[in-house]
Amino acid sequence: MPHWVYLVAAAVAWEAGKPLVIEEVEVAPPQKNEIRLKILFTALCHTDVYFWEAKGQTPLFPRIFGHEAGGVVESVGEGVTDLQPGDHVLPVFTGECKECPHCKSEESNMCDLLRINTDRGVMINDEKSRFSVNGKPIYHFLGTSTFSEYTVVHVGCVAKINSAAPLEKVCVLSCGISTGLGATINVAKPKKGQSIAVFGLGAVGLGAVTGARIAGASRIIGVDMNPSRLEEARKFGCTEFVNPKDHKKPVQQVIAEMTNGGVDRSVECTGSVQAMISAFECVHDGWGVAVLVGVPNKDDEFKTHPINFLTERTLKGTFFGNFKPRSDIPNVVEKYMKNELDLQLEKFITHSVPFSEINKAFDYMLKGEGLRCIIRMEG
């Protein structure tokens, strides 16, 4: 077990909404059931921005954000047997201990030990941070904190992947794209020829659109308030586009009228509680299934009339598209490499910046420009 501390560059968020600062950060060695990773590529996900802004969530600063990434194992802590230095991995914001009832269930990926916890800023093992600046602890984010040249992660939160996979592309499978893809193919499960509405056409939503296309959906209706997303969405497989701002009636009514009573499936990828309600109310009675993916504000309430359930509509939720990180993500990477999934990851990657310019990635996302910005740790 290694005992040395690394002094590395990391992008620290000192306070909500302020630009990240590249600092020299001490990264402690991995403890029991932990690994230390050298991050090679990381991407900015909307969830990072959401918690960096700290609107409607518990603020926790100073913090190192980042959770969509690819890297190489540098060292392993006590008890780690299935990973070794040199392994290529994707860190994942939710984990798989393989021991708890959830991990042993075929129906769930909500690990009791390692499920997503946005408020925890320390490691599970000893409730301490592995990051510090001049002796002052810096909080972790989602157990990953990939906006750092090196990071320490619980072994259950990394997926070991084929070392031949291009990390600069497959890193986006560690969060958003897999979340959207899995929400459709694992949870909504549209049958060939069915119709589906996808709310929110960012990277997660276009992952859901991709899943719908792979499943053989005949009508894929994209719903977004940004008209500039229309052309992008068509490239991923959207057949129609609805902008709620263009209509005086609720968008669920518009979709019901377009589809003779409602779509067969819907997937909501915005975090807006109104979009969640619309996604549920726009599915067809008798067999319609709506899947919620977006993370709402903590005080939001979902309101709909019980008759919508009684008339045999189904409402489901999912974290990470029901993929088990360690068991399933390596297979997704393999299928991508063998072209067994029509997953054109390069279409999702619209920008790339060196680590020193990480704040540019925030600017692109805040302006709604592009989908994923890859941050190259080595310039």
Side-chain angles (χ1 to χ4, degrees):
M1 180 176 160
H3 295 284
W4 54 90
V5 170
Y6 276 9
L7 205 56
V8 309
V12 178
W14 289 101
E15 53 186 306
K18 294 292 173 67
L20 306 190
V21 181
I22 306 285
E23 303 277 10
E24 207 170 53
V25 173
E26 293 177 351
V27 183
Q31 303 300 310
K32 186 176 181 181
N33 294 326
E34 295 172 1
I35 59 170
R36 187 159 55 186
L37 295 182
K38 178 179 174 63
I39 299 295
L40 297 179
F41 300 94
T42 185
L44 179 65
C45 172
H46 188 261
T47 305
D48 296 305
V49 176
Y50 192 49
F51 283 88
W52 165 73
E53 290 178 324
K55 292 176 182 172
Q57 300 294 343
T58 309
L60 193 60
F61 295 93
R63 204 169 201 181
I64 296 173
F65 287 102
H67 64 282
E68 196 172 275
V72 178
V73 176
E74 176 269 329
S75 56
V76 303
E78 179 193 339
V80 176
T81 56
D82 55 348
L83 286 169
Q84 58 189 21
D87 284 344
H88 285 215
V89 296
L90 302 181
V92 182
F93 65 87
T94 188
E96 181 185 357
C97 73
K98 297 196 173 183
E99 303 292 329
C100 72
H102 282 275
C103 285
K104 290 180 175 177
S105 162
E106 291 181 6
E107 297 178 39
S108 174
N109 67 342
M110 297 285 289
C111 175
D112 286 337
L113 179 68
L114 300 168
R115 71 175 59 181
I116 183 172
N117 183 333
T118 57
D119 291 341
R120 187 173 61 233
V122 292
M123 299 300 288
I124 287 173
N125 185 44
D126 57 3
E127 298 195 342
K128 291 180 181 173
S129 173
R130 301 287 173 264
F131 300 113
S132 59
V133 172
N134 299 324
K136 178 185 173 66
I138 307 293
Y139 290 115
H140 293 248
F141 179 62
L142 299 183
T144 51
S145 291
T146 60
F147 293 167
S148 174
E149 291 177 321
Y150 285 82
T151 188
V152 177
V153 180
H154 191 284
V155 68
C157 294
V158 288
K160 179 184 174 182
I161 63 165
N162 187 332
S163 60
L167 278 175
E168 71 276 13
K169 293 181 184 177
V170 298
C171 63
V172 297
L173 288 172
S174 67
C175 177
I177 315 308
S178 294
T179 296
L181 182 74
T184 303
I185 60 176
N186 295 338
V187 189
K189 297 180 180 174
K191 298 181 176 71
K192 198 171 176 64
Q194 285 192 321
S195 60
I196 184 167
V198 176
F199 288 72
L201 297 173
V204 177
L206 292 175
V209 168
T210 299
R213 192 187 72 237
I214 291 168
S218 62
R219 295 180 73 180
I220 304 173
I221 302 168
V223 184
D224 201 294
M225 292 200 271
N226 183 348
S228 67
R229 289 195 162 154
L230 169 59
E231 280 314 306
E232 198 78 56
R234 284 199 203 286
K235 293 179 199 168
F236 286 86
C238 262
T239 59
E240 294 152 82
F241 184 81
V242 176
N243 185 339
K245 289 182 182 172
D246 294 342
H247 302 273
K248 290 188 173 144
K249 59 181 76 166
V251 70
Q252 53 266 49
Q253 280 184 34
V254 175
I255 293 170
E257 288 167 12
M258 288 169 64
T259 54
N260 195 24
V263 283
D264 302 302
R265 303 286 186 265
S266 72
V267 180
E268 179 283 323
C269 305
T270 70
S272 155
V273 75
Q274 190 51 57
M276 294 177 183
I277 294 164
S278 297
F280 177 53
E281 293 182 354
C282 81
V283 298
H284 205 289
D285 59 10
W287 60 80
V289 178
V291 178
L292 306 186
V293 178
V295 180
N297 281 341
K298 63 180 188 293
D299 298 326
D300 280 343
E301 290 182 352
F302 183 99
K303 293 180 181 178
T304 191
H305 198 282
I307 197 73
N308 292 319
F309 291 99
L310 297 173
T311 47
E312 299 176 9
R313 291 175 182 85
T314 300
L315 181 64
K316 292 184 169 187
T318 178
F319 259 127
F320 197 49
N322 272 42
F323 284 121
K324 292 179 188 281
R326 297 163 84 182
S327 303
D328 298 334
I329 293 305
N331 297 332
V332 175
V333 171
E334 286 301 314
K335 286 181 177 178
Y336 163 71
M337 292 180 69
K338 293 174 182 172
N339 289 321
E340 290 175 14
L341 281 177
D342 187 12
L343 247 186
Q344 296 152 341
L345 295 182
E346 48 286 336
K347 278 190 184 175
F348 289 94
I349 299 164
T350 50
H351 296 87
S352 176
V353 297
F355 186 44
S356 59
E357 297 176 16
I358 189 170
N359 287 303
K360 273 191 184 174
F362 281 76
D363 292 339
Y364 292 138
M365 185 160 282
L366 291 168
K367 289 175 185 169
E369 293 177 12
L371 295 170
R372 275 295 183 267
C373 179
I374 300 293
I375 297 150
R376 308 183 303 276
M377 301 306 287
E378 295 182 334

